[in-house]
Amino acid sequence: MTGSNRVKLKPGDTIGILGGGQLGRMLALAAARLGLRCQVFSPDPDSPAFDVVLHATCAEYADVEALELFANDVDVVTYEFENVPSAAALVLGARRPVLPSRSSLETTQDRLTEKDFVTSLGIRTANYADVSSVGTLREAILRIGLPAVLKTRRFGYDGKGQVKIQQGDNLERVWAELGTKSAILEAFVPFEREISVVAARAADGQVECFDVTENEHRDHILKVSRAPAAIPDALADEARDIASRIATALDYVGVLAVEMFVVSGGPTPGVLVNEIAPRVHNSGHWTLDGASISQFEQHIRAIAGWPLGKPVRHGDVTMTNLIGDEIDSYEQWLTVPGATVHLYGKGAARPGRKMGHVTLVAPSAPAKKPRS
């Protein structure tokens, strides 16, 4: 962004948030603490973010008139999920700054485009290939080998839109069940652990990374995150450097998360980038209670044109998602020393639905004073 068009909000200004889920809710709460107002745009009348803002718009993202009215009421627009239609961002961008930019959104919405972008920076990913038919799938398998993972290029999250292919699988059936004409085949990575880096970048180029987080998934849904990840310092430095390079190359403004695999493949372990999430991220929820500044406040600061904070972790932190009917256990968590319960205000609990999370902070032991 050039100096002439950088956003500089003041207390009392309004941020427009596209998406009304728990991420939008937590962004609005972080903004309120800084004296900034938020207005939420979401097609879902039961959006939990609606509960914490004074003004909301319930309309489809294709409703141009609703988007224009929304833009008139806000000073800057951001989003809580990456599948915002590019056309909606285009309509809004003609009237108000949209941060992160539409170009960042378009790069990360398509898995193939994203992989091409990451590898163009000299950053390693799993081997991959463009797939558009059963025939090109067969050719891709010959190059990449099996097992492999076939993913839709767009609209996948929490394990949706992907399938693992093993030796002997019926490729015609796999392709038909995926139900897409645009896919990407990725080599299966026998990783040691999954990690992520949540990074914030300001318009002036300043980047601040949170500590590397180690993640455990169950049924393709994040269940537990731990900070810091149990990896060597050199590997953590590499992971943070990768996230910083990606944010800088995108000319990104706001918070993003880079998901990575830790792999052996040699005398020392290394990392492969799996995916980029151009938004605040579930694996960064631990920062709400476990760091001097949360990912949500950091994002608000970045898009408001305010200085970023220097994240300082308060101790060893574990974040546990409450998924489906696990929400019924919230009272038990309320009695656990060091635990903080976050409930999202959603309606009925369904299998796979994130209903809340708990952060557990174990303060680091103070350094022993040397004997005199």
Side-chain angles (χ1 to χ4, degrees):
M1 300 180 71
T2 64
S4 60
N5 64 7
R6 281 186 187 165
V7 174
K8 185 67 174 180
L9 301 187
K10 59 186 183 302
D13 285 345
T14 301
I15 296 169
I17 301 174
L18 299 178
Q22 64 266 21
L23 300 180
R25 180 186 178 103
M26 289 183 271
L27 282 170
L29 291 171
R33 197 173 67 78
L34 298 175
L36 293 163
R37 298 184 174 95
C38 286
Q39 190 166 152
V40 173
F41 189 109
S42 172
D44 181 2
D46 296 321
S47 295
F50 285 174
D51 296 341
V52 300
V53 295
L54 190 59
H55 300 290
T57 301
C58 187
E60 297 297 328
Y61 293 116
D63 189 334
V64 173
E65 183 179 1
L67 288 169
E68 291 175 341
L69 291 171
F70 176 73
N72 290 340
D73 288 340
V74 304
D75 299 292
V76 66
V77 177
T78 191
Y79 42 87
E80 61 130 32
F81 73 118
E82 59 266 51
N83 289 325
V84 173
S86 182
L90 183 64
V91 170
L92 293 166
R95 290 157 180 81
R96 292 290 185 270
V98 176
L99 299 173
S101 67
R102 186 165 59 93
S103 61
S104 297
L105 195 65
E106 290 172 342
T107 298
T108 54
Q109 278 182 334
D110 184 304
R111 285 187 168 113
L112 180 62
T113 304
E114 179 180 280
K115 283 283 196 300
D116 287 344
F117 164 74
V118 172
T119 56
S120 75
L121 301 178
I123 297 170
R124 293 194 302 157
T125 71
N127 291 332
Y128 64 95
D130 184 13
V131 174
S132 57
S133 65
V134 175
T136 55
L137 175 58
R138 294 185 192 279
E139 293 171 1
I141 288 172
L142 288 175
R143 294 200 308 274
I144 290 174
L146 291 177
V149 182
L150 183 66
K151 301 178 180 180
T152 57
R153 284 176 55 173
R154 301 172 68 87
F155 306 117
Y157 66 96
D158 286 348
K160 297 177 176 66
Q162 61 180 271
V163 60
K164 185 177 179 181
I165 302 178
Q166 307 268 21
Q167 210 54 258
D169 285 347
N170 185 314
L171 298 184
E172 286 83 0
R173 182 181 303 163
V174 167
W175 181 250
E177 289 177 352
L178 195 64
T180 185
K181 295 181 180 179
S182 301
I184 180 173
L185 186 73
E186 299 178 7
F188 181 77
V189 178
F191 56 85
E192 289 184 6
R193 64 193 73 219
E194 295 177 81
I195 61 172
S196 59
V197 175
V198 173
R201 184 177 182 275
D204 64 5
Q206 178 190 3
V207 178
E208 295 290 347
C209 293
F210 290 90
D211 284 338
V212 181
T213 305
E214 186 169 336
N215 304 308
E216 291 181 16
H217 290 78
R218 297 180 191 172
D219 299 323
H220 301 288
I221 300 172
L222 181 64
K223 179 57 183 173
V224 179
S225 290
R226 296 181 178 88
I231 58 176
D233 290 344
L235 202 60
D237 290 342
E238 180 187 353
R240 285 190 292 266
D241 178 67
I242 286 171
S244 297
R245 288 167 59 195
I246 287 172
T248 300
L250 287 170
D251 196 20
Y252 196 86
V253 177
V255 162
L256 58 72
V258 182
E259 301 175 35
M260 310 178 202
F261 297 127
V262 176
V263 293
S264 295
T268 58
V271 295
L272 299 179
V273 168
N274 180 31
E275 290 185 353
I276 304 169
R279 54 173 170 80
V280 288
H281 193 256
N282 196 172
S283 68
H285 287 359
W286 66 268
T287 64
L288 277 165
D289 309 294
S292 56
I293 185 170
S294 75
Q295 64 167 341
F296 302 99
E297 180 175 334
Q298 200 78 299
H299 184 82
I300 295 298
R301 289 195 191 194
I303 65 171
W306 294 9
L308 299 180
K310 179 70 69 174
V312 178
R313 186 170 41 81
H314 296 323
D316 294 338
V317 192
T318 302
M319 187 283 303
T320 303
N321 273 329
L322 302 178
I323 301 170
D325 59 13
E326 291 174 350
I327 190 67
D328 298 336
S329 67
Y330 74 91
E331 286 194 41
Q332 300 169 31
W333 283 105
L334 291 172
T335 65
V336 177
T340 304
V341 177
H342 297 263
L343 306 181
Y344 302 152
K346 293 183 176 181
R350 299 191 298 268
R353 192 181 196 191
K354 296 170 184 171
M355 303 297 293
H357 73 268
V358 179
T359 48
L360 186 62
V361 182
S364 301
K368 292 182 179 180
K369 294 182 179 180
R371 293 182 180 179
S372 56

